[in-house]
Amino acid sequence: MSASTWLAEATAVFVKEWRSELRTRYALNTFGLFAVTTLITASVALGPASLAPVERASVLPVLLWLILLFTATAGLPRAFVFEEETHTSTALRLAASPGPLFVGKAAYNLALTLALEALVVPLFLILFDLAVASPGLLALALLAGGFGLALGSTLVSALISQARGRGTLFAVLSLPILLPLLLFSVQLTRLAILGDAPGQTVEALLLYDASLTVASMMLFPVIWNP
Amino acid sequence: MRKALLYGLWLLMCLVIVGAFLWAPIAKGFLGESSRILFFHVPMAWTAFLAFIAAGIWSLLYLIRGRGVAHDHAALAAVELGLVFCLLATVTGAMWAKTMWGAFWNWDPRQISITFALLFYGAYLALRSSVPDPQVERVLGAAYAVFGLVMAPFLFFVAPRLVFSLHPQPVLNTQGKVEMESRMLWVLAASSLAFTCLFVWLLGLRRRMLALADRIEES
């Protein structure tokens, strides 16, 4: 397969995902409402002033990533589970080859995750009255962390779509994969808020993203056609 | 022959226990006799690590070498045994931490990595038990275990280096030096050998059980 058809196939999957999403707007609605609900709960409970200044830098990054993680867990597994539920996965197996299919689905999930971050992070900064010392580092943490979150969720979604009890299984399978990623992301967000030098955390996060990419590209064809 | 090997293993284990408590000296800088747990804790952790790596390799072989059931049985048995040894290493580690650091659990980097390993391979068993089709179950399990092989360096080598740790340096540390009294080293080496042999023996038993269960299912 030439590079251009490969890319065209991936784009076609990506466009198809958005088209079926915009028909129901299921993921966008779930994402938005889930994120805003958890955010408001956290904000009402803690508010901008109820944390001591020293505690803010250690507590708030964890809170931000927990909101992002749980919202992602509510929406991202749909990528492949949806295909099984509507009995369209066989048609999809015939229509697209595994590589482009995975890239298209992962790109769709990445777009959703970035949209989620664009909604949650500004609101979070406003509601907690949080000043970020190095915004560039925060953007990097959100981008690299979001990339890993989307990619890992897409792979696990493909794994669980063929199993029973998908909802609980997704959390059980994805958390061990995503925990190192979340630890690095939380650490980087904390350093961005404080304005400290990031050290090796950036390398660790990017390396994690890279190995996640390679491993999922190699394993997806096996998972998709067992 | 098989019986002689088993008696040999039993004798070796007995020698390790006697050596660990009576022959080896206690290490400097440790409270009381607490350093003696090293002769059991370290080989348990080592065996768990070995089991998980072996499971990853067998899963990879299963996927690329024509999907033979024997490779899958070996991988499954290795994960199950790895979890047992991993749990034992976690418990012994927590006991030692209570003595030395004052708390059973304080999220030292090594405690984080071992928790990840427990969660990950626990999830492997959860995944396998929830796939209805046995053929699909084997493939998905193998894919997840190979994924574990990719994650292992982060869990065991990158994450513990990024955070300050109170855990004693591993025997094979970054400086490449062995900082241990020679009698302690002897007991530790013997114990590691004994635990590895124990693992190999149990693995063989479990593989036979899985193969027999398959035959019963077929007939």
Side-chain angles (χ1 to χ4, degrees), chain B:
Chain B
M1 181 61 193
R2 202 180 176 83
K3 220 164 202 177
L5 280 175
L6 275 181
Y7 280 125
L9 177 58
W10 173 77
L11 197 67
L12 187 60
M13 273 291 186
C14 291
L15 280 176
V16 166
I17 293 169
V18 173
F21 287 102
L22 300 174
W23 185 57
I26 46 175
K28 282 196 194 85
F30 287 76
L31 281 178
E33 304 264 336
S34 73
S35 72
R36 294 195 193 279
I37 207 163
L38 142 111
F39 302 119
F40 305 98
H41 171 71
V42 174
M44 282 165 189
W46 150 253
T47 314
F49 185 72
L50 182 78
F52 292 145
I53 297 294
I57 293 170
W58 270 315
S59 297
L60 193 65
L61 286 176
Y62 173 76
L63 290 177
I64 59 176
R65 287 262 177 91
R67 316 256 157 113
V69 183
H71 282 141
D72 178 68
H73 284 163
L76 177 59
V79 168
E80 289 173 347
L81 287 172
L83 272 173
V84 174
F85 283 106
C86 199
L87 207 59
L88 287 171
T90 312
V91 172
T92 48
M95 281 159 60
W96 180 81
K98 179 70 182 166
T99 314
M100 281 298 289
W101 304 336
F104 285 112
W105 208 259
N106 59 352
W107 292 116
D108 191 78
R110 300 227 166 250
Q111 290 180 322
I112 298 178
S113 0
I114 207 159
T115 312
F116 280 165
L118 282 174
L119 282 178
F120 187 90
Y121 289 99
Y124 169 90
L125 294 183
L127 172 68
R128 290 196 65 133
S129 62
S130 60
V131 182
D133 182 349
Q135 180 63 32
V136 178
E137 176 204 322
R138 292 192 190 109
V139 175
L140 294 187
Y144 199 65
V146 172
F147 206 69
L149 212 54
V150 180
M151 294 297 124
F154 287 96
L155 300 182
F156 291 99
F157 301 113
V158 179
R161 300 272 182 286
L162 280 179
V163 195
F164 172 75
S165 173
L166 284 168
H167 193 280
Q169 277 289 310
V171 183
L172 299 169
N173 50 27
T174 38
Q175 287 87 44
K177 271 185 284 185
V178 177
E179 290 156 357
M180 204 177 273
E181 208 264 347
S182 68
R183 270 182 296 170
M184 284 175 72
L185 203 61
W186 268 109
V187 177
L188 183 62
S191 178
S192 301
L193 178 70
F195 270 92
T196 310
C197 291
L198 185 69
F199 165 68
V200 172
W201 175 56
L202 289 171
L203 186 78
L205 285 181
R206 185 74 186 121
R207 285 177 71 170
R208 270 168 63 199
M209 272 174 72
L210 288 169
L212 287 174
D214 259 21
R215 267 176 61 188
I216 291 171
E217 200 126 298
E218 277 164 19
S219 60

Side-chain angles (χ1 to χ4, degrees), chain A residues 164 169 173 177 179 208 211-212, chain B residues 116 123 130 144 147 151 154:
Chain A
R164 288 178 296 229
L169 200 59
L173 290 190
I177 292 178
L179 267 171
Y208 192 85
S211 34
L212 200 59
Chain B
F116 280 165
S130 60
Y144 199 65
F147 206 69
M151 294 297 124
F154 287 96

Side-chain angles (χ1 to χ4, degrees), chain A residues 191-209:
Chain A
L191 295 171
I193 289 171
L194 294 170
D196 290 347
Q200 284 176 311
T201 317
V202 178
E203 280 101 319
L205 185 57
L206 293 179
L207 205 65
Y208 192 85
D209 277 351

